[in-house]
Coordinates of all heavy atoms in Angstrom, one line a residue:
Y68 N -40.5 14.4 -36.1 CA -39.8 13.7 -37.3 C -39.8 12.2 -37.2 O -39.6 11.5 -38.2 CB -38.5 14.3 -37.5 CG -38.4 15.7 -38.0 CD1 -37.6 16.7 -37.5 CD2 -39.4 16.1 -39.0 CE1 -37.6 18.0 -38.0 CE2 -39.5 17.4 -39.4 CZ -38.5 18.4 -38.9 OH -38.5 19.6 -39.3
N69 N -40.1 11.7 -36.1 CA -40.0 10.2 -35.9 C -41.6 9.6 -35.8 O -41.6 8.4 -35.4 CB -39.2 9.8 -34.7 CG -37.8 9.9 -35.0 OD1 -37.1 9.2 -35.7 ND2 -37.2 11.1 -34.4
S70 N -42.4 10.4 -36.0 CA -43.8 9.9 -36.0 C -44.2 9.2 -37.3 O -43.6 9.5 -38.3 CB -44.9 11.0 -35.7 OG -44.6 11.6 -34.3
P71 N -45.3 8.4 -37.3 CA -45.6 7.8 -38.4 C -46.1 8.8 -39.6 O -46.7 9.7 -39.2 CB -46.8 6.8 -38.1 CG -46.7 6.6 -36.6 CD -46.0 8.0 -36.1
D72 N -45.7 8.5 -40.8 CA -46.0 9.5 -41.9 C -47.4 9.7 -42.1 O -47.9 10.9 -42.3 CB -45.4 8.9 -43.2 CG -43.8 8.9 -43.2 OD1 -43.2 9.7 -42.4 OD2 -43.2 8.2 -44.0
D73 N -48.3 8.6 -42.1 CA -49.7 8.8 -42.2 C -50.2 9.7 -41.1 O -51.1 10.6 -41.4 CB -50.4 7.4 -42.0 CG -50.1 6.5 -43.2 OD1 -49.5 7.0 -44.2 OD2 -50.4 5.3 -43.0
L74 N -49.7 9.6 -39.9 CA -50.3 10.5 -38.8 C -49.9 12.0 -39.1 O -50.7 12.9 -39.0 CB -49.7 10.1 -37.5 CG -50.0 10.9 -36.3 CD1 -51.5 10.9 -35.9 CD2 -49.2 10.6 -35.0
I75 N -48.7 12.1 -39.3 CA -48.1 13.4 -39.7 C -48.9 14.1 -40.8 O -49.2 15.3 -40.9 CB -46.6 13.5 -40.0 CG1 -45.9 13.0 -38.6 CG2 -46.1 14.9 -40.2 CD1 -46.2 13.7 -37.4
E76 N -49.0 13.4 -41.9 CA -49.7 14.0 -43.1 C -51.1 14.3 -42.8 O -51.6 15.3 -43.2 CB -49.7 12.8 -44.2 CG -48.3 12.6 -44.8 CD -48.3 11.5 -45.8 OE1 -49.4 10.9 -46.2 OE2 -47.2 11.0 -46.2
S77 N -51.8 13.6 -42.0 CA -53.2 13.9 -41.6 C -53.2 15.2 -40.7 O -54.0 16.0 -41.0 CB -53.8 12.7 -40.8 OG -53.9 11.6 -41.5
L78 N -52.2 15.3 -39.8 CA -52.2 16.4 -39.0 C -51.9 17.6 -39.8 O -52.4 18.8 -39.6 CB -51.3 16.2 -37.8 CG -51.8 15.2 -36.8 CD1 -50.6 14.9 -35.8 CD2 -53.0 15.6 -36.0
M79 N -50.9 17.5 -40.6 CA -50.4 18.6 -41.4 C -51.4 19.1 -42.5 O -51.3 20.2 -43.0 CB -49.0 18.3 -42.0 CG -48.0 18.3 -40.9 SD -46.3 18.2 -41.5 CE -46.1 19.6 -42.4
A80 N -52.5 18.3 -42.8 CA -53.5 18.7 -43.7 C -54.2 19.9 -43.0 O -55.1 20.5 -43.6 CB -54.4 17.6 -44.0
N81 N -54.2 19.9 -41.6 CA -54.9 20.9 -40.9 C -54.2 21.9 -40.2 O -54.7 22.8 -39.5 CB -55.9 20.1 -39.9 CG -56.8 19.3 -40.6 OD1 -57.6 19.7 -41.2 ND2 -56.7 18.0 -40.4
M82 N -52.9 21.8 -40.2 CA -52.0 22.8 -39.5 C -50.6 22.8 -40.2 O -50.2 21.8 -40.8 CB -51.9 22.4 -38.0 CG -51.2 21.1 -37.7 SD -51.0 20.8 -35.9 CE -52.8 20.6 -35.4
S83 N -49.8 23.8 -39.8 CA -48.5 24.0 -40.3 C -47.6 23.0 -39.5 O -47.8 22.6 -38.4 CB -48.1 25.4 -40.3 OG -47.8 25.7 -39.0
E84 N -46.4 22.8 -40.1 CA -45.3 22.1 -39.4 C -45.0 22.7 -38.0 O -44.8 22.1 -37.0 CB -44.2 21.8 -40.2 CG -43.1 20.9 -39.6 CD -41.9 20.7 -40.6 OE1 -42.2 20.5 -41.8 OE2 -40.8 20.6 -40.0
D85 N -44.9 24.1 -38.1 CA -44.5 24.9 -36.8 C -45.6 24.6 -35.7 O -45.4 24.5 -34.6 CB -44.3 26.3 -37.1 CG -42.9 26.6 -37.8 OD1 -42.1 25.7 -37.8 OD2 -42.9 27.7 -38.4
D86 N -47.0 24.7 -36.3 CA -48.1 24.6 -35.3 C -48.0 23.1 -34.7 O -48.3 22.9 -33.5 CB -49.5 24.8 -36.0 CG -49.6 26.4 -36.2 OD1 -48.9 27.1 -35.6 OD2 -50.4 26.6 -37.1
L87 N -47.7 22.2 -35.6 CA -47.6 20.8 -35.1 C -46.5 20.6 -34.1 O -46.7 20.0 -33.1 CB -47.5 19.9 -36.3 CG -47.5 18.4 -36.0 CD1 -48.7 18.0 -35.1 CD2 -47.4 17.7 -37.2

Side-chain angles (χ1 to χ4, degrees):
Y68 291 139
N69 286 287
S70 296
D72 290 338
D73 292 345
L74 174 68
I75 297 304
E76 289 170 10
S77 296
L78 291 169
M79 289 185 58
N81 297 297
M82 62 178 65
S83 71
E84 185 174 323
D85 286 343
D86 288 341
L87 181 53

